[in-house]
Amino acid sequence: MEAVKSKGPKLGVRHLQTLLLFFDIVVAYMARLNVGVAVVAMTNAETSNPDFPEFDWDEKQISYILSSFFWGYVATQFVGGSLCKHFGTKLVMTVSTFGSGLGSALTPLCVMKGGWQAFCAIRVATGLFQGMMFPCIHQHLAKWSPPDERNRLGTLSHTGIECGTVLALGVSGIIAESSLGWPGISYVSGGLCFTWCILWWILGANNANESKFISKTERDYIESSLVRAEDFHQKKIPIPWKAIFTSKPFLALCVTRCCAVWGLSTMQHQIPSYMNGVLNMEIKSNALFSALPFLAMWILSYVYALAAEIIQHKQCISLTALRKCINTMAFWLPAIGLVGIGFLDDDQKTLAITLMTLLVGLNSGTIIGCTLNTIDLSPNHAGILMGIANTTVSFMPIITPLVVGVIVTDTHSRTQWQLVFLIAASIFFVGNVIYLIWGTAKTQPWDAQDFLATKPKSSSASNDKTNTTSLESSDHVKNS
């Protein structure tokens, strides 16, 4: 029983896995987002090292380059969840990150040979590889994070998004101005991806049982904390597709996450345009301003994680209530702020920047609020659920600008922008209401139902005859 109670070292292999996931997201986001800085350097040599070729691309061609990544990214979200279940997260994440790094490293050569069309093609390929990443990350977290530590480990890994974004915006500009020029942006990103793959292949493991570095105490702690640990590490558990697509908690989660991304996309991409058009602020070219919201998200993510850790440790409320409370803060506070920001005047520019940064930062609570909920609903199928949810969610950043383009015909019109913010605030509000009604953090009955049903009946019958409460307790101790 002592082995079950002990959590092993305070910094164990489960924390190492979380750190590896964090850095995977960092290098992937650097490879994903550096294109924004690279395109500027490639089309305007005066902004970077002029010793490298300059390309004469118009705005339409640049828009194709910037959006082409998501054409591939959407396509493999669902596939990634299935692949990591069949082949394990270690292999699939290696392929995903290595492919992303290879695409980044080959970008200068491809662009030199094939122009913007080749650039689009290599970005689509990079998106195809990266689309598998987050389903694998959630599947890996499900295998390694005990329920009591899931918020902490999940949040720590996901903050790689903000870290990677800040580094992509800051480091890429420095590289472009150095002797490496704009090709160096791709080479550095590719090299970081390859370095991560080496570390991951040495230190990563699909689960605690397969790790070469884990102690017995920590392994027993992880295994004993997982639901149906005996079945959990089976490689082939039938996927209950019908149950998944008819599950109210999961469908509510998908809707909620779509609403979250709609609101975040509005705050990150439309508020700067509003400030430029209505408040007459030249801020789009300000790298510091561009990074501020992501810095706020990065910092407040840890604040949310710490608060959740304290609340969960004291067992004040259930995990379901905790997720819903944090999600309400992450949705409704930005919703109120979005309505308010539309009424600011020209002489309140500092307040507008502060408010926007704060709103984006507060929205980082969605990681604990709803993003990690896929693991709660089904640890066995967390990758599948994440793949389905992310496929749906990935369309939101595509749809949002189109809706804004229809509404805002004059960028200087405060009334039109107020309508955009009101729509986003309403979506925030409704999305959280849906989550409050149908959301839950309880593991669903279909998590391993089909797998259990395939077990030999004789074994099941024998267990029914012999198992008593006391025997089950002793078996638990023995297995642990």
Side-chain angles (χ1 to χ4, degrees):
M1 290 298 291
E2 291 299 321
V4 176
K5 292 179 182 179
S6 176
K7 297 183 179 181
K10 291 184 178 180
L11 289 177
V13 177
R14 65 190 185 279
H15 302 100
L16 174 62
Q17 301 300 308
T18 302
L19 189 64
L20 288 169
L21 295 182
F22 169 84
F23 282 116
D24 186 32
I25 297 175
V26 169
V27 299
Y29 263 70
M30 288 185 69
R32 176 193 301 195
L33 300 177
N34 61 24
V35 65
V37 178
V39 166
V40 174
M42 295 166 76
T43 55
N44 187 357
E46 294 180 358
T47 64
S48 59
N49 189 332
D51 296 334
F52 292 88
E54 180 177 317
F55 299 90
D56 185 20
W57 297 332
D58 58 34
E59 288 299 322
K60 186 176 182 181
Q61 293 167 339
I62 292 175
S63 68
Y64 288 151
I65 295 170
L66 295 177
S67 64
S68 56
F69 172 89
F70 296 96
W71 305 346
Y73 187 72
V74 173
T76 52
Q77 293 283 337
F78 186 78
V79 176
S82 299
L83 289 176
C84 69
K85 279 189 67 66
H86 285 88
F87 300 104
T89 55
K90 184 173 182 177
L91 176 61
V92 179
M93 287 181 68
T94 301
V95 172
S96 173
T97 308
F98 184 84
S100 179
L102 187 63
S104 184
L106 291 176
T107 295
L109 177 62
C110 292
V111 174
M112 295 287 191
K113 297 291 185 181
W116 70 269
Q117 295 94 335
F119 204 166
C120 286
I122 202 71
R123 293 294 295 172
V124 171
T126 302
L128 286 170
F129 281 108
Q130 283 203 21
M132 300 182 288
M133 182 178 66
F134 275 105
C136 288
I137 285 174
H138 274 232
Q139 188 71 25
H140 200 69
L141 284 170
K143 295 288 183 76
W144 276 94
S145 57
D148 291 343
E149 301 181 17
R150 189 166 293 158
N151 288 330
R152 184 202 316 162
L153 300 182
T155 301
L156 290 175
S157 63
H158 277 74
T159 52
I161 296 174
E162 289 76 43
C163 180
T165 302
V166 171
L167 289 176
L169 294 173
V171 176
S172 297
I174 296 174
I175 296 173
E177 294 177 356
S178 71
S179 58
L180 297 174
W182 62 258
I185 298 175
S186 298
Y187 296 144
V188 170
S189 296
L192 290 174
C193 288
F194 298 148
T195 301
W196 181 89
C197 288
I198 296 172
L199 293 174
W200 171 250
W201 199 252
I202 297 172
L203 302 173
N206 289 318
N207 53 62
N209 282 333
E210 294 184 14
S211 176
K212 301 176 182 177
F213 307 101
I214 195 170
S215 66
K216 183 180 184 301
T217 303
E218 185 182 9
R219 184 183 66 247
D220 291 344
Y221 163 61
I222 295 173
E223 292 296 318
S224 65
S225 67
L226 298 175
V227 179
R228 287 185 289 270
E230 182 182 349
D231 301 328
F232 191 68
H233 296 311
Q234 297 291 332
K235 290 186 177 180
K236 294 184 179 180
I237 301 176
I239 303 171
W241 294 110
K242 182 179 179 181
I244 290 174
F245 283 106
T246 56
S247 171
K248 288 182 181 179
F250 176 62
L251 294 178
L253 174 62
C254 289
V255 173
T256 302
R257 289 208 54 217
C258 286
C259 295
V261 174
W262 183 291
L264 181 62
S265 178
T266 300
M267 290 188 293
Q268 287 183 333
H269 303 299
Q270 304 307 327
I271 289 181
S273 298
Y274 160 77
M275 291 179 177
N276 179 257
V278 177
L279 303 184
N280 300 312
M281 295 175 62
E282 293 295 334
I283 56 177
K284 284 190 173 182
S285 60
N286 191 321
L288 176 61
F289 176 82
S290 300
L292 274 178
F294 299 103
L295 285 171
M297 291 189 77
W298 194 359
I299 295 170
L300 287 180
S301 292
Y302 295 125
V303 175
Y304 276 119
L306 179 61
E309 185 81 9
I310 295 173
I311 294 172
Q312 199 170 13
H313 178 71
K314 291 184 176 181
Q315 297 182 338
C316 304
I317 56 178
S318 67
L319 181 58
T320 297
L322 176 64
R323 293 218 186 281
K324 290 182 178 181
C325 287
I326 293 180
N327 204 68
T328 299
M329 293 177 61
F331 273 54
W332 285 359
L333 292 179
I336 296 171
L338 275 171
V339 176
I341 204 171
F343 291 93
L344 297 180
D345 297 323
D346 290 6
D347 58 347
Q348 297 174 302
K349 296 176 182 178
T350 302
L351 178 59
I353 293 176
T354 303
L355 187 57
M356 176 196 168
T357 302
L358 181 61
L359 295 182
V360 176
L362 287 170
N363 189 248
S364 63
T366 56
I367 296 174
I368 294 176
C370 60
T371 303
L372 296 176
N373 191 227
T374 54
I375 306 175
D376 302 327
L377 297 178
S378 178
N380 276 315
H381 307 297
I384 294 292
L385 300 190
M386 187 61 176
I388 297 171
N390 254 23
T391 299
T392 307
V393 166
S394 296
F395 287 100
M396 295 301 106
I398 299 174
I399 299 174
T400 305
L402 299 178
V403 174
V404 173
V406 172
I407 296 174
V408 181
T409 56
D410 179 10
T411 57
H412 301 286
S413 172
R414 180 187 297 273
T415 303
Q416 293 177 357
W417 281 110
Q418 286 175 334
L419 179 58
V420 170
F421 297 149
L422 181 61
I423 291 173
S426 301
I427 290 175
F428 262 146
F429 181 81
V430 173
N432 189 59
V433 169
I434 291 173
Y435 193 59
L436 290 175
I437 296 173
W438 289 290
T440 181
K442 294 182 179 179
T443 302
Q444 296 303 290
W446 42 264
D447 176 46
Q449 184 176 358
D450 290 347
F451 174 76
L452 295 174
T454 60
K455 286 189 173 183
K457 293 183 178 180
S458 57
S459 173
S460 177
S462 175
N463 289 339
D464 290 340
K465 291 179 182 179
T466 58
N467 281 356
T468 63
T469 304
S470 60
L471 284 175
E472 287 175 353
S473 300
S474 63
D475 284 343
H476 176 71
V477 175
K478 186 185 297 182
N479 290 335
S480 298

